[in-house]
Amino acid sequence: MLESAESIWSQAQDVLRGMLKAEIFTMWFAPLRARGIDGHTLQLETPDDFSEVWLRENYSDLLRSVVTRSAGRTLEVTFCLGAAPVQQTSEVQSELSMGPSTPEPSSNSRTSEVFLNPNNTFDTFVVGNNNNLAHGAAIAVAQNPGKTYNPLFFIGGVGLGKTHLLQAIGQFVLSHRKNARVAYLPCEKFTNEFIEALQGGQLPKFRRKYRLVDVLLIDDVQFLAGKERIQEEFFHTFNALHGNRKQIVLSCDRPASEIQGLEQRLVSRFEWGLTADLQPPDMETRQAILRKKERVFRVELPDDVRSFLAKRIRSNIRRLEGAFVRIASVASLTGKPITLDVVENQLREILQEEGRQSITIDLIQRRVAEHYDIRHADMLSKRRPENIAFPRQVAMYLARQLTDSSLAVIGDAFGGRDHGTVLHACRQVKDRMEVDSNVRQTVSYLEKQLLR
Ligand code: ADP
Ligand code: MG
């Protein structure tokens, strides 16, 4: 008998379900789909890049041994980003309501294409000041596809909930409307399918597939930047759907007008409906998100740990969630209580990365000025007495170390100095640090303060 990726994976899932806590299984393993087998490798599709990294780092060995067992031969596992093309309500509903615990994987190629992460629903989405407009619009569109905002265009940085909302709309429509056709896919996947269709002479089929849906959810349209041929195709898909009052929902990491090399006619169409942005969550929302995860995972964080995480991880919900999951997993593996010490230890890298991202040149100037008891304005001025000039150099050095800004940008921020001056300042500080332990200590103290 031919071995099929689906059947191997479905057996493996049964084993994993028995081995792992239900929450862990649901979070990480239920959403995976088998894409295929290539020689000695089983390819698994993950719903997002975060799961991909998480699974690779934490569960590679486990997965390898489980799929090897169910295949009866040695299999490696690789991950790739997946997406869901068109889905039909009846099939998907059973998929959603029963969960992946009762798969019928063998012959049903449609269901194996289903790719909405069951964790991304309105129920699991925490609403705060940062996202209430986007959330409200998503609900409106999900309840009345094609009738309110069309297109609905979400803008937001990495890890702020764009994919979550897109998929929540998809799942809502699928569970409330019989026979609704919903397609969710990252723009990159749309592009790849188009190219394959083009090369395989299957364009009419490709067009039928996407121009006949009721709701089209396309993630990360910044991917269209500079790709003329696919923009053209996208334009016609857009028009066909919009003309038939079918719902279009798009997400992007920046405003449409800021996508380099995006045709004006697409920019204007993207702005036809409603543009809703997702901002980083405030402190309260971050706490609420953690509380929600605690309920889902049935893990309770001590108050000080929850506040600590919410205070320190500000810019990205995916990172906040990643930090939480790491802590929860470590706690469940070691059986030890979750303390601040454990948390700081486990999350050192995440916290540093987070600190780095939230540091601005302005913040550095202010902290350094404060430390040396000079005015912020002195950071920008041309005055050169040593008691001002050196702190200014330290601030430039720190800006170079702790931000991604170029020398020119840093120079600009220091009252319009040129990049040579910044370079010189950096060398100067480095040299002094080498010979003077006081300077070394001061700089490293400032650096630590900024990274907290
Ligand atoms: P984006 O697509 O904007 O990069 P995602 O939608 O993938 O971000 O969100 C990153 C992670 O954070 C996901 O696991 C998502 O479920 C979670 N998340 C984002 N926003 C919220 C929210 N408001 N409430 C709960 N979880 C959220
Ligand atoms: Mg996304």
Side-chain angles (χ1 to χ4, degrees), residues 298-310:
R298 285 185 238 148
V299 169
E300 208 179 318
L301 296 178
D303 287 344
D304 61 342
V305 168
R306 185 184 314 108
S307 306
F308 176 83
L309 289 178

Side-chain angles (χ1 to χ4, degrees), residues 4 102 121 128 228 245 281 287 298 308 321 335 342 350 364 369 435:
S4 90
T102 47
T121 60
E228 283 165 27
R245 305 189 176 231
Q287 300 236 26
R298 285 185 238 148
F308 176 83
E321 189 174 78
V342 171
I350 296 183
I364 293 172
V435 297

Side-chain angles (χ1 to χ4, degrees), residues 150-441:
N150 207 10
L152 175 56
F153 190 75
F154 293 124
I155 303 178
V158 178
L160 294 182
K162 300 184 295 296
T163 299
H164 191 133
L165 279 184
L166 241 48
Q167 296 201 350
I169 294 173
Q171 323 221 40
F172 187 96
V173 173
L174 287 168
S175 59
H176 287 77
R177 283 171 194 257
K178 273 208 154 34
N179 305 321
R181 280 166 306 182
V182 173
Y184 162 84
L185 70 172
C187 194
E188 183 173 3
K189 172 116 177 161
F190 183 83
T191 305
N192 293 343
E193 279 192 26
F194 170 70
I195 294 169
E196 275 168 32
L198 194 66
Q199 290 170 344
Q202 303 273 315
L203 267 189
K205 194 169 154 215
F206 172 87
R207 291 186 172 142
R208 260 199 315 281
K209 181 164 162 192
Y210 290 112
R211 292 183 190 179
L212 291 177
V213 297
D214 301 303
V215 179
L216 181 64
L217 310 155
I218 304 268
D219 216 348
D220 294 316
V221 295
Q222 69 272 7
F223 191 78
L224 292 173
K227 302 189 176 68
E228 283 165 27
R229 192 67 186 77
I230 187 72
Q231 286 184 26
E232 162 102 27
E233 183 66 23
F234 200 83
F235 178 74
H236 293 299
T237 306
F238 186 103
N239 290 344
L241 289 170
H242 199 273
N244 287 324
R245 305 189 176 231
K246 303 300 186 188
Q247 181 68 47
I248 301 163
V249 188
L250 308 167
S251 86
C252 192
D253 67 356
R254 68 201 85 163
S257 57
E258 288 172 23
I259 305 176
Q260 295 276 322
L262 182 68
E263 291 174 25
Q264 192 49 44
R265 56 184 188 169
L266 274 176
V267 175
S268 79
R269 270 168 183 72
F270 289 176
E271 292 169 348
W272 265 355
L274 180 76
T275 298
D277 68 344
L278 291 147
Q279 295 289 331
D282 58 18
M283 178 74 183
E284 211 174 295
T285 311
R286 297 197 295 274
Q287 300 236 26
I289 289 171
L290 286 170
R291 286 214 183 79
K292 187 131 219 166
K293 305 281 170 210
E294 289 172 54
R295 281 195 297 279
V296 171
F297 278 77
R298 285 185 238 148
V299 169
E300 208 179 318
L301 296 178
D303 287 344
D304 61 342
V305 168
R306 185 184 314 108
S307 306
F308 176 83
L309 289 178
K311 189 168 140 231
R312 295 288 292 276
I313 305 182
R314 289 172 284 229
S315 64
N316 178 329
I317 298 173
R318 176 172 304 142
R319 191 175 287 149
L320 185 65
E321 189 174 78
F324 170 80
V325 172
R326 169 156 301 187
I327 298 299
S329 308
V330 168
S332 102
L333 285 174
T334 62
K336 293 210 179 104
I338 302 170
T339 62
L340 271 182
D341 275 354
V342 171
V343 170
E344 282 198 77
N345 233 320
Q346 284 296 326
L347 300 182
R348 186 158 295 145
E349 273 162 38
I350 296 183
L351 292 171
Q352 273 190 3
E353 180 57 30
E354 178 70 22
R356 197 172 284 280
Q357 275 189 0
S358 50
I359 295 175
T360 60
I361 299 178
D362 185 70
L363 180 71
I364 293 172
Q365 292 172 336
R366 286 176 195 283
R367 289 282 173 77
V368 174
E370 208 174 283
H371 181 82
Y372 286 99
D373 203 16
I374 61 177
R375 294 171 313 143
H376 179 242
D378 289 331
M379 287 285 159
L380 315 185
S381 77
K382 302 280 183 226
R383 299 176 54 212
R384 315 189 55 157
E386 169 70 8
N387 70 325
I388 295 175
F390 187 62
R392 195 156 53 212
Q393 289 182 327
V394 168
M396 289 187 210
Y397 169 85
L398 288 171
R400 185 74 181 142
Q401 298 294 314
L402 302 179
T403 73
D404 295 326
S405 311
S406 65
L407 292 168
V409 168
I410 296 173
D412 242 16
F414 282 82
R417 292 172 155 82
D418 65 20
H419 79 279
T421 309
V422 180
L423 203 57
H424 174 73
C426 293
R427 292 220 182 96
Q428 212 47 24
V429 173
K430 241 194 207 141
D431 291 348
R432 299 244 327 233
M433 279 167 68
E434 257 171 43
V435 297
D436 186 337
S437 69
N438 276 335
V439 173
R440 203 156 56 231
Q441 272 167 17

